[in-house]
Each structure stands twice: as C-alpha cells, then as structure tokens.
C-alpha cells in the first residue's frame, strides 16, 4: 500500500472518484481525475461553488488543479489560500 503524502493531504471518498478542475468550479475545464481511495497533497482551500452543501475546494499540491471537498476528506490543517504565500512569475521575468 502506498504511503500517504505529507500533511495536509486528502483522501477521495466517493466510489466514482473525483474530477480535477482547472479552477474551483464544475464549469471549469476537467484536467484530470483521482480514483476512489487516492491520497493527494493539498496546498490550500477556498470557498467557491457549493457542491451538495459543501462550498470548500482544495488546491492540490504537486500538480495543478482543484477538487471539491465534497468528495475528499482532509488530514492535517489545510490553510486558506489567502493565508498562503504563492509566488507568481510575471511574463517579464
């Protein structure tokens, strides 16, 4: 059995898996998927589109994309994205 990523991480808890989206919305482009039981590092969270009563979306760590917390349980303290220091690179750099 593979080891879990460092905390915080999420575990996919829906039997059908979960889509990875470019942005935290089901209207956003699907850029991948995670199978049921998959464990994935979480970088941060935001409030966005409400999915069955849950409006939290997780920004994945180590890959681009977002997943709805409705389908993923978290282990460890997930910080709000507004509290993270995210380095952006401008086109001029």
């Amino acid at each position: 059995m593979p080891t879990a990523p460092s905390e915080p991480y999420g575990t996919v808890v829906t039997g059908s898996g979960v889509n990875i989206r470019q942005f935290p919305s089901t209207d956003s482009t699907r850029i991948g998927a995670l199978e049921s039981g998959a464990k994935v590092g979480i970088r941060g969270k935001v409030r966005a589109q409400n999915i069955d009563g849950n409006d939290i979306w997780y920004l994945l760590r180590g890959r681009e994309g977002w997943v709805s917390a409705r389908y993923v349980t978290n282990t460890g303290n997930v910080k709000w994205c507004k509290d993270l220091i995210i380095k952006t690179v401008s086109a001029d750099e």
Side-chain angles (χ1 to χ4, degrees), residues 17-93:
V18 65
N19 290 322
I20 301 171
R21 301 285 181 174
Q22 184 177 12
F23 300 106
S25 167
T26 57
D27 292 334
S28 180
T29 302
R30 180 185 178 274
I31 58 174
L34 295 169
E35 295 180 356
S36 180
K39 295 184 184 330
V40 63
I42 299 173
R43 185 171 181 189
K45 63 185 175 182
V46 297
R47 290 193 186 279
Q49 182 185 11
N50 187 308
I51 307 295
D52 294 333
N54 189 328
D55 66 354
I56 302 295
W57 285 71
Y58 295 131
L59 175 61
L60 301 180
R61 184 179 66 233
R63 63 170 73 183
E64 295 296 317
W66 296 85
V67 294
S68 169
R70 167 65 179 87
Y71 307 112
V72 177
T73 60
N74 70 293
T75 300
N77 181 31
V78 179
K79 293 184 179 185
W80 294 100
C81 286
K82 69 178 186 64
D83 296 329
L84 298 174
I85 297 173
I86 300 175
K87 180 181 178 348
T88 58
V89 178
S90 71
D92 298 334
E93 288 185 23

Side-chain angles (χ1 to χ4, degrees), residues 1-4 39:
M1 176 176 229
T3 60
K39 295 184 184 330

